[in-house]
């Protein structure tokens, strides 16, 4: 305790100059300028059996995975490969990027496009799933490739790239849809784009008056922290408000290099969030997740989402039951800082979007009491007000503005009195038919009425 206060309050450098992650022997002779150059890292990525064998003792299962035809792209930056424990096949860094034979096994629920993104794609690379925000895919390339990639249907193919015409169409769509106030730039990894291209996109998006917020989804700070340099950050900060979500899965990813990258980004005023994927054998443990979120908040990254692993081909062996996610949230909420607790979500197969899932805290309810439990199992009663006047939407400017906008209201719309039911597809037909059959049988009333 005292030691950490000392080191944080002194005016001397808070820590020793950032040490570098130790390098595997094969790169011992690479000069530091090269090793720390992101271009060198990208052009020396590992993707063959021979290269990997120089760094890691591969198991037969891994060898089979690496040799497999038609597997998802394999490419690992030397920096990230250097974080792998060469002798531990269960190493959580290793499991994320080294294929095994198990990824060749199909599973029953697998879907090529598990999030139904194609059905929500008005122009190539633009996914408009939610009312006020879009996902803009700007590249198919990443610094390294996660074995459980949810977008493996389009990611990794060096020949399938977005063109200038695709970007124009994406931006045109956004410019002509004033409902879009938030643009999430993803891919692939946007921070892999040539900087002038990324800047061009940011500039054009910023020029659209109704686009309030820009976001970048990236894993470059984890796979290639060298890429986050002064030059990149001073460009990014010109396009505020700009937010960034970074994909971390394990505390072992947080190295001195990553710490430096996040410090540059945070110092440029970019709010940083973390999106993790719940992965069997990697982070399916409340304590592993707790260590991760604690390390994240130390580098000013706020845990944002934990995703249930999507039903994507090749990822079957990474899946956990949904109960694992609930167990993790149970172990975090109340036990640690509120801002260190992410939202656990299932991204609904078939395109339903993200659905938050959490433990039950409301135990029971009557018209004047709510019975709640806390993280310790303490059960309490909150007495409801008897004189709550309610909210008068007719006199609330925000409600009136929302009403004027119209559009989709969902369950919130039911609460606001915008409708009485939300009816699944085919519901009317199915129920009219059943009703007719029953009434024919008992011959009470004539059939065929819509409202029967
Ligand atoms: C995840 C996602 C978003 C952003 O969702 P938030 O909950 O706002 O972070 C937007 N569009 C699509 C298609 C997404 O998958």
């Amino acid at each position: 305790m005292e030691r950490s206060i000392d080191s944080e309050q002194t005016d001397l450098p808070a820590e020793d100059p950032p040490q570098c992650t130790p390098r595997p022997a094969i790169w011992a002779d690479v000069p530091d300028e090269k090793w720390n150059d992101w271009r060198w890292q990208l052009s020396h990525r590992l993707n063959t059996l021979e290269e990997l064998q120089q760094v890691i003792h591969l198991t037969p299962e891994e060898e089979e995975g690496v040799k497999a035809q038609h597997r998802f792209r394999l490419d690992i930056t030397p920096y990230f490969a250097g974080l792998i424990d060469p002798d531990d096949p269960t190493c959580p860094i290793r499991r994320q990027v080294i294929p095994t034979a198990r990824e060749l096994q199909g599973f029953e629920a697998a879907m090529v496009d598990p999030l139904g993104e194609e059905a929500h794609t008005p122009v190539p690379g633009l996914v408009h799933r939610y009312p006020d925000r879009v996902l803009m895919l700007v590249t198919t390339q990443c610094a390294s490739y996660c074995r459980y990639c949810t977008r493996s249907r389009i990611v990794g193919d060096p020949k399938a790239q977005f063109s200038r015409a695709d970007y124009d169409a994406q931006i045109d769509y956004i410019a002509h849809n004033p409902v879009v106030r938030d643009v999430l730039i993803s891919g692939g990894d946007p921070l892999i784009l040539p900087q002038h291209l990324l800047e061009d996109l940011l500039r054009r998006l910023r020029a659209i008056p109704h686009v309030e917020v820009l976001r970048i989804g990236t894993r470059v700070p984890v796979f290639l922290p060298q890429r986050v340099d002064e030059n990149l950050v001073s460009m990014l900060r010109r396009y505020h408000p700009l937010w960034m979500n970074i994909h971390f899965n394990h505390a072992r990813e947080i190295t001195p290099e990553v710490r430096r990258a996040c410090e540059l980004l945070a110092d440029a005023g970019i709010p940083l969030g973390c999106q993790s994927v719940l992965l069997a054998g990697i982070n399916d443990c409340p304590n592993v997740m707790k260590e991760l979120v604690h390390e994240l908040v130390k580098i000013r990254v706020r845990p944002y989402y934990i995703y249930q692993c999507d039903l994507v081909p090749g990822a079957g062996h990474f899946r956990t039951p949904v109960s694992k996610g609930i167990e993790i949230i149970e172990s975090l909420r109340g036990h640690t800082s509120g801002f260190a607790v992410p939202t656990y979500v299932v991204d609904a197969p078939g395109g339903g979007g993200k659905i938050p899932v959490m433990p039950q805290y409301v135990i029971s309810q009557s018209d004047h009491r709510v019975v709640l439990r806390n993280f310790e199992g303490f059960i309490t009663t909150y007495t409801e007000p008897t004189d709550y006047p309610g909210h008068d939407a007719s006199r609330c400017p925000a409600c009136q503005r929302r009403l004027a906008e119209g559009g989709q209201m969902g369950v919130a719309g039911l609460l606001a009195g915008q409708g009485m039911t939300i009816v699944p597809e085919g519901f009317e037909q199915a129920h009219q038919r059943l009703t007719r059959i029953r009434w024919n049988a008992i011959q009470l009333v004539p059939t065929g009425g819509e409202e029967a």
Side-chain angles (χ1 to χ4, degrees), residues 323-335:
S323 56
K324 184 55 72 177
I326 296 176
E327 181 189 344
I328 286 167
I329 301 301
E330 184 75 72
S331 77
L332 295 176
R333 173 63 65 197
H335 296 273

Side-chain angles (χ1 to χ4, degrees), residues 127 129-130 133 135 184 215 304-305 307 347 354:
V127 186
R129 170 67 191 79
Y130 294 99
R133 54 207 187 279
L135 170 66
L184 165 43
R215 292 197 248 181
Y304 180 53
Y305 282 141
Y307 289 94
D347 214 332
K354 298 173 187 73

Side-chain angles (χ1 to χ4, degrees), residues 115 117 120 126-130 132-136 151 181-184 215 245 275 304-305 307 345 347 353-354:
L115 310 182
E117 292 186 331
H120 291 95
L126 198 88
V127 186
H128 193 175
R129 170 67 191 79
Y130 294 99
D132 68 341
R133 54 207 187 279
V134 293
L135 170 66
M136 181 171 167
R151 229 163 264 137
R181 44 162 288 284
D182 173 4
V183 177
L184 165 43
R215 292 197 248 181
N245 275 324
Q275 310 200 120
Y304 180 53
Y305 282 141
Y307 289 94
V345 295
D347 214 332
K354 298 173 187 73

Side-chain angles (χ1 to χ4, degrees), residues 93-354:
I93 301 289
R94 175 171 178 153
R95 291 274 52 80
Q96 294 182 55
V97 290
I98 305 280
T100 72
R102 294 186 66 190
E103 82 178 38
L104 310 171
Q105 289 164 12
F107 61 99
E108 197 192 349
M111 295 187 255
V112 171
D113 176 18
L115 310 182
E117 292 186 331
E118 301 295 339
H120 291 95
T121 296
V123 300
L126 198 88
V127 186
H128 193 175
R129 170 67 191 79
Y130 294 99
D132 68 341
R133 54 207 187 279
V134 293
L135 170 66
M136 181 171 167
L137 307 178
V138 298
T139 176
T140 57
Q141 305 296 295
C142 290
S144 303
Y145 293 89
C146 308
R147 300 323 299 168
Y148 48 86
C149 177
T150 191
R151 229 163 264 137
S152 52
R153 70 184 189 282
I154 49 176
V155 164
D157 182 351
K159 293 190 294 286
Q161 275 289 21
F162 292 101
S163 65
R164 175 123 205 128
D166 292 329
Y167 294 149
D168 290 348
Q170 293 174 334
I171 289 172
D172 198 54
Y173 178 90
I174 295 167
H176 287 95
N177 279 277
V179 292
V180 178
R181 44 162 288 284
D182 173 4
V183 177
L184 165 43
I185 303 167
S186 182
D189 200 315
L191 295 190
I192 279 301
L193 279 183
Q195 190 167 315
H196 70 275
L197 261 183
L198 177 61
E199 171 154 26
D200 193 50
L201 294 173
L202 291 170
R203 191 180 43 73
R204 293 168 73 190
L205 290 168
R206 241 316 135 242
I208 302 172
H210 56 264
V211 172
E212 298 169 1
V213 179
L214 298 175
R215 292 197 248 181
I216 291 178
T218 178
R219 206 173 189 197
V220 156
V222 173
F223 281 148
L224 186 66
Q226 299 80 4
R227 177 67 190 92
V228 181
D229 55 18
E230 296 281 359
N231 185 21
L232 176 70
V233 168
S234 62
M235 183 278 280
L236 293 176
R237 71 186 308 165
R238 287 202 285 273
Y239 299 94
H240 275 311
L242 175 72
W243 294 56
M244 188 177 285
N245 275 324
I246 308 172
H247 176 169
F248 287 93
N249 290 326
H250 196 281
R252 277 208 222 164
E253 293 160 1
I254 302 171
T255 61
E257 289 90 337
V258 170
R259 213 167 275 134
R260 187 204 54 91
C262 290
E263 189 170 304
L264 276 177
L265 293 164
D267 285 351
I270 302 171
L272 302 177
C274 169
Q275 310 200 120
S276 305
V277 181
L278 179 51
L279 297 164
I282 293 174
N283 58 17
D284 54 339
C285 162
N287 296 312
V288 166
M289 281 294 194
K290 191 179 283 177
E291 285 180 10
L292 171 62
V293 299
H294 285 171
E295 290 306 313
L296 287 171
V297 298
K298 280 162 68 181
I299 59 168
R300 289 181 283 169
V301 177
R302 189 197 190 292
Y304 180 53
Y305 282 141
I306 295 176
Y307 289 94
Q308 174 66 10
C309 185
D310 290 326
L311 297 169
V312 68
H317 58 297
F318 286 121
R319 301 201 300 133
T320 66
V322 170
S323 56
K324 184 55 72 177
I326 296 176
E327 181 189 344
I328 286 167
I329 301 301
E330 184 75 72
S331 77
L332 295 176
R333 173 63 65 197
H335 296 273
T336 191
S337 321
F339 60 78
V341 183
T343 303
Y344 167 56
V345 295
V346 179
D347 214 332
K354 298 173 187 73

